[in-house]
Amino acid sequence: YVGQARDLADRARRRADQAQVRADQVQEAADQAQERAERAEEAASMADAAADMAAEAADLTEGWADAEEQARAHGVAAQARAAAREAQRRLDRAQQEADRAQEAAEQASEAADHAEELACQAEDFASEAGNGEEDAGGWPPRRGRRLHSRRAPSGGPWGGPGPERPGPPEPTGP
């Protein structure tokens, strides 16, 4: 019974560790998605500014350029505006992806926290089962982790810090 409880606790601990690794990986992916969204936002802003400048340049040609040059300038402005709209669509998609990734990271973190709680409960149960069996005259529990120090509460090498040790010698000189 105690062995089964310890095995269960060991499995729970491994699962908790795996869940934490997974949560860390998902958070890293969310961070990368956020960085992509930030780059997309910068690109959209630059594309929008370029479209505004192209439109302004096209408007300025009206007073001095011939019809062909004006049409060409307005065409460039329209292309710049279309590029700005596409950059905005990419930004929207990148932000949605970043939001989904962050939500997944939060869920993975919650799952890791839950797995950690279960592992702690399983370890506590195994410890209590081991203590109960030892009290009942069964075999003593095996020690996977040391929970208590072997030192006595006070005094000497097996009980506390012991006597104070001298520090380094005082420097001599002028």
Side-chain angles (χ1 to χ4, degrees):
Y1 178 71
V2 174
Q4 290 174 338
R6 285 195 186 105
D7 289 344
L8 176 65
D10 290 343
R11 283 195 309 266
R13 173 58 50 206
R14 282 192 302 275
R15 286 186 181 137
D17 292 343
Q18 290 169 349
Q20 186 58 53
V21 167
R22 177 71 178 134
D24 292 344
Q25 291 170 340
V26 173
Q27 183 60 54
E28 179 65 27
D31 292 345
Q32 290 172 358
Q34 183 60 41
E35 289 173 13
R36 286 190 300 274
E38 290 169 2
R39 286 193 303 269
E41 183 176 22
E42 187 175 322
S45 176
M46 289 190 311
D48 192 51
D52 289 345
M53 286 189 278
E56 187 176 333
D59 290 343
L60 292 175
T61 62
E62 291 179 11
W64 57 270
D66 63 17
E68 187 177 317
E69 285 185 48
Q70 289 178 12
R72 191 175 21 249
H74 284 287
V76 169
Q79 289 174 342
R81 184 56 55 201
R85 284 192 299 272
E86 179 58 30
Q88 183 62 45
R89 281 192 292 278
R90 287 184 186 143
L91 168 60
D92 294 342
R93 283 193 305 269
Q95 286 176 331
Q96 290 170 353
E97 179 186 331
D99 291 344
R100 284 191 301 269
Q102 187 58 43
E103 179 65 29
E106 290 170 7
Q107 290 174 354
S109 179
E110 289 171 9
D113 290 346
H114 183 67
E116 177 67 24
E117 288 176 28
L118 292 176
C120 289
Q121 290 173 1
E123 289 168 347
D124 290 346
F125 178 76
S127 177
E128 290 171 10
N131 290 341
E133 188 172 295
E134 192 174 270
D135 294 342
W139 289 98
R142 67 175 183 214
R143 305 282 184 216
R145 300 186 285 153
R146 189 166 315 284
L147 299 176
H148 304 288
S149 170
R150 290 186 177 191
R151 295 182 182 218
S154 64
W158 292 103
E164 187 174 322
R165 300 198 172 159
E170 293 293 321
T172 59

